[in-house]
Amino acid sequence: MQIKFLENSTASPSNIELMFNTVEAITGTKRDDILSSSRKRKNVIARTYCAILLREMFNMTFVEAGYVLNRNHASIIHCLKSHKTDMKHDPTYSWRFKEVVNIMGLGHYSPLPHENATQKIAKHMRRQRTIKIIESD
């Protein structure tokens, strides 16, 4: 599977690289650890930050974000759910995420409203695509 970046897409390879570098700088977690299968808390947090940014900033689908992070779509859905809880109950998590958002140039962050998973998936499947996944042998 390959990702082909469409013209005028915010999900360019350089922006994704910037995202990984920013998350690495704030969390101290290396890119290889973010992309690994490790379940250490610091790696999971960094991976969650990336998943949220890929979904919110780059408008990727669950499958596309999963592909970038070496995960499946269900892992990205789980990241969204755990992110909401961590933002609400973990001040360090919240502070670090807001730092990543500020460095990435978003300037603000408003979490998705509480919706059930089916509504979220349907809504995101209807939105305009910014990248296209191409199956390869």
Side-chain angles (χ1 to χ4, degrees):
M1 184 185 294
Q2 283 181 291
I3 294 180
K4 179 183 177 186
F5 295 95
L6 302 178
E7 291 180 30
N8 301 323
S9 170
T10 58
S12 69
S14 61
N15 285 343
I16 292 175
E17 187 68 30
L18 174 64
M19 176 199 68
F20 279 117
N21 292 339
T22 303
V23 170
E24 182 177 339
I26 296 295
T27 64
T29 305
K30 296 182 180 177
R31 182 180 182 155
D32 290 342
D33 293 332
I34 294 170
L35 300 175
S36 75
S37 61
S38 169
R39 292 191 290 178
K40 289 183 180 177
R41 180 70 178 151
K42 73 175 211 159
N43 298 341
V44 171
I45 288 171
R47 196 175 301 128
T48 300
Y49 290 168
C50 290
I52 298 302
L53 290 170
L54 289 170
R55 291 280 300 149
E56 299 295 319
M57 184 174 182
F58 300 128
N59 296 320
M60 289 187 174
T61 65
F62 292 112
V63 173
E64 293 163 348
Y67 179 74
V68 171
L69 295 174
N70 295 331
R71 296 282 175 280
N72 64 30
H73 73 283
S75 298
I76 305 305
I77 293 170
H78 178 73
C79 285
L80 286 173
K81 291 178 182 179
S82 64
H83 175 73
K84 289 177 187 174
T85 303
D86 288 338
M87 286 294 284
K88 191 174 189 179
H89 300 290
D90 185 347
T92 303
Y93 177 96
S94 177
W95 178 83
R96 285 185 176 161
F97 182 73
K98 288 175 185 174
E99 286 296 309
V100 170
V101 167
N102 287 334
I103 291 170
M104 290 295 295
L106 296 177
H108 70 285
Y109 175 72
S110 56
L112 292 172
H114 294 294
E115 301 172 330
N116 69 41
T118 306
Q119 288 172 334
K120 272 192 231 178
I121 291 169
K123 180 174 81 175
H124 291 295
M125 288 176 73
R126 289 190 299 267
R127 72 165 189 262
Q128 182 179 1
R129 302 283 302 248
T130 58
I131 64 175
K132 183 177 184 180
I133 295 181
I134 302 170
E135 295 292 331
S136 63
D137 297 332

